């Protein structure tokens, strides 16, 4: 699909191409009572200079978040800052980003990419965690291995986002049925809670949110041990405001940057209905 065709479809999911555009969106999100996490779009960087330039941009982003007094942390894809080049390159770059996060009293989340990178991402995480407190990772409920990973990684101040997982994975390593993936999401939520870990429940699935809420209420899970997380632009039919009004913490994942194309195509494949919605809006605007 040419970029000029894709752009109107991407717009709901991407908070602009520049720092300034993204920070304006984060401010609006904060003004509505939600936290944010910001991500510069891109992955699989093969060029060392580019990986280092992205690293510097992330370091600067912490400074800008601080100057603008935003309630916002940062999420990164390890292959965007060097993991596609080597583990050592990613480690060095992520250490720089974490140093900046520490200076500004902020937090870094390592997103989880496809299963080729799962071991290395956990290795990076463990390495970072040995020096820095302010770092978390992601656990995907579609992977068979995730419960074991959650148990092994959980420590008193473990912080994990739980999500279903967005990549195509083989049935030898990943659940394929939506019910199994949801069940495993709940199992992971319980496992992390049992270990005293902090969890970000990242889902738009209303039924799963209902299940989480029922469990949170019945088990009296302390509100400082979890948050709900959603992607920027995904319609939630008033649910976020409802959760916020009930006193729950919500964080919106805000992706931005010139490399918006692949990300938007993934979102589009996930919800082809958005095409109709965007076309309707285009005609409305004329
Ligand atoms: P599901 O796919 O069942 O969607 C539930 C409902 O939401 C459906 O009605 C669907 O139409 C709607 N919906 C979902 N996505 C939509 C979209 N893009 N546009 C419009 N409607 C949509 N994955 C990963 O592998 N590694 C990661 O690091 C992350 N990080 C991450 C952070 C955050 C904050 C979120 C919310 C998600 C991720 N993901 C992720 C993606 C995640 O793994 C998963 O693929 C998507 O969230 C979709 O799964 P749901 O749980 O939302 O349910």
């Amino acid at each position: 699909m040419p970029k000029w065709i894709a752009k109107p479809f991407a717009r709901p999911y991407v908070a602009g191409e520049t720092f300034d555009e993204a920070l304006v969106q984060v401010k609006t999100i904060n003004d509505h009572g939600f936290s944010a996490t910001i991500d510069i779009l891109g992955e699989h960087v093969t060029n060392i200079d580019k990986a280092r330039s992205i690293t510097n941009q992330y370091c600067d982003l912490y400074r800008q978040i601080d100057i603008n007094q935003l309630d916002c942390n940062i999420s990164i894809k390890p292959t965007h800052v060097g993991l596609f080049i080597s583990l050592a390159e990613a480690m060095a770059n992520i250490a720089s980003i974490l140093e900046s996060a520490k200076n500004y009293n902020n937090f870094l989340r390592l997103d989880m990419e496809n299963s080729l990178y799962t071991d290395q991402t956990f290795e990076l995480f463990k390495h970072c965690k040995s020096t820095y407190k302010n770092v978390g990772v992601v656990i995907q409920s579609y992977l068979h291995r995730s419960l074991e990973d959650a148990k092994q990684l959980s420590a008193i101040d473990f912080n994990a986002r739980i999500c279903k997982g967005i990549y195509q994975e083989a049935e030898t390593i990943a659940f394929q049925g939506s019910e199994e993936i949801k069940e495993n999401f709940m199992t992971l939520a319980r496992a992390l809670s049992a270990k005293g870990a902090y969890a970000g429940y990242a889902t738009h699935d209303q039924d799963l949110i209902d299940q989480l809420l029922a469990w949170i209420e019945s088990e009296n899970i302390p509100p400082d041990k979890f948050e709900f997380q959603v992607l920027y632009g995904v319609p939630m039919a008033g649910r976020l405001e409802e959760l916020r009004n009930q006193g729950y913490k919500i964080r919106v994942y805000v992706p931005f940057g010139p490399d918006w194309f692949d990300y938007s195509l993934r979102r589009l494949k996930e919800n082809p209905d958005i095409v109709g919605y965007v076309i309707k809006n285009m005609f409305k605007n004329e």
Side-chain angles (χ1 to χ4, degrees):
M1 188 192 289
K3 284 195 171 180
W4 65 270
I5 295 186
K7 203 156 189 173
F9 302 111
R11 199 166 294 141
Y13 297 128
V14 176
E17 293 205 4
T18 65
F19 271 34
D20 286 350
E21 286 171 290
L23 293 174
V24 165
Q25 294 306 316
V26 169
K27 170 88 173 67
T28 307
I29 286 165
N30 286 174
D31 288 346
H32 283 85
F34 306 123
S35 304
T37 185
I38 202 163
D39 165 64
I40 304 173
L41 285 166
E43 56 204 344
H44 299 134
V45 166
T46 51
N47 175 297
I48 287 195
D49 291 338
K50 175 145 190 213
R52 291 180 185 174
S53 153
I54 300 289
T55 299
N56 291 338
Q57 290 175 42
Y58 274 122
C59 294
D60 192 42
L61 205 41
Y62 279 120
R63 190 178 63 84
Q64 303 223 26
I65 289 169
D66 187 67
I67 290 172
N68 290 287
Q69 298 188 313
L70 297 171
D71 173 3
C72 181
N73 62 36
I74 290 181
S75 295
I76 59 166
K77 297 217 165 9
T79 68
H80 198 199
V81 291
L83 188 56
F84 201 61
I85 300 164
S86 70
L87 189 60
E89 181 64 26
M91 274 197 187
N93 292 337
I94 293 173
S96 304
I97 297 172
L98 274 166
E99 200 53 46
S100 180
K102 189 177 151 193
N103 288 341
Y104 291 106
N105 200 16
N106 207 320
F107 177 85
L108 177 69
R109 168 97 46 211
L110 304 184
D111 284 353
M112 188 58 78
E113 298 174 77
N114 62 44
S115 58
L116 274 181
Y117 303 104
T118 312
D119 281 332
Q120 286 181 317
T121 302
F122 285 139
E123 205 173 317
L124 279 170
F125 170 71
K126 281 189 271 187
H127 178 78
C128 292
K129 194 73 193 168
S130 65
T131 313
Y132 298 95
K133 280 183 159 189
N134 51 335
V135 57
V137 72
V138 175
I139 301 212
Q140 296 156 319
S141 72
Y142 64 7
L143 289 186
H144 297 161
R145 59 179 283 171
S146 289
L147 182 57
E148 205 43 51
D149 289 325
K151 284 181 184 161
Q152 281 189 16
L153 292 165
S154 287
I156 293 302
D157 65 347
F158 183 51
N159 183 321
R161 172 193 301 147
I162 308 174
C163 66
K164 290 181 181 172
I166 201 168
Y167 304 91
Q168 293 279 348
E169 299 290 0
E171 58 185 71
T172 47
I173 60 162
F175 299 111
Q176 307 292 321
S178 62
E179 283 311 311
E180 289 173 305
I181 296 170
K182 261 156 70 158
E183 254 170 53
N184 202 35
F185 195 117
M186 289 303 303
T187 303
L188 292 168
R190 287 191 201 96
L192 288 186
S193 170
K195 297 273 188 183
Y198 187 90
Y201 307 128
T203 182
H204 316 98
D205 181 335
Q206 301 277 355
D207 173 57
L208 186 52
I209 293 174
D210 287 341
Q211 287 188 42
L212 285 162
L213 284 173
W215 164 71
I216 287 163
E217 280 159 26
S218 77
E219 298 298 314
N220 254 326
I221 307 299
D224 62 346
K225 286 291 183 187
F226 68 91
E227 64 189 38
F228 290 95
Q229 298 185 352
V230 293
L231 299 175
Y232 177 84
V234 173
M236 289 293 288
R239 191 74 192 259
L240 298 185
E241 289 73 13
E242 208 179 283
L243 289 170
R244 176 199 61 199
N245 295 344
Q246 288 170 306
Y248 293 112
K249 184 173 171 88
I250 294 150
R251 186 177 303 277
V252 181
Y253 184 110
V254 181
F256 80 101
D259 291 335
W260 49 268
F261 187 64
D262 291 344
Y263 177 83
S264 309
L265 280 192
R266 272 212 298 271
R267 302 267 88 80
L268 215 57
K269 279 190 199 150
E270 229 175 19
N271 187 3
D273 290 352
I274 198 79
V275 176
Y277 161 80
V278 171
I279 288 172
K280 251 187 258 157
N281 279 344
M282 271 162 46
F283 284 106
K284 245 197 302 191
N285 292 340
E286 276 176 3

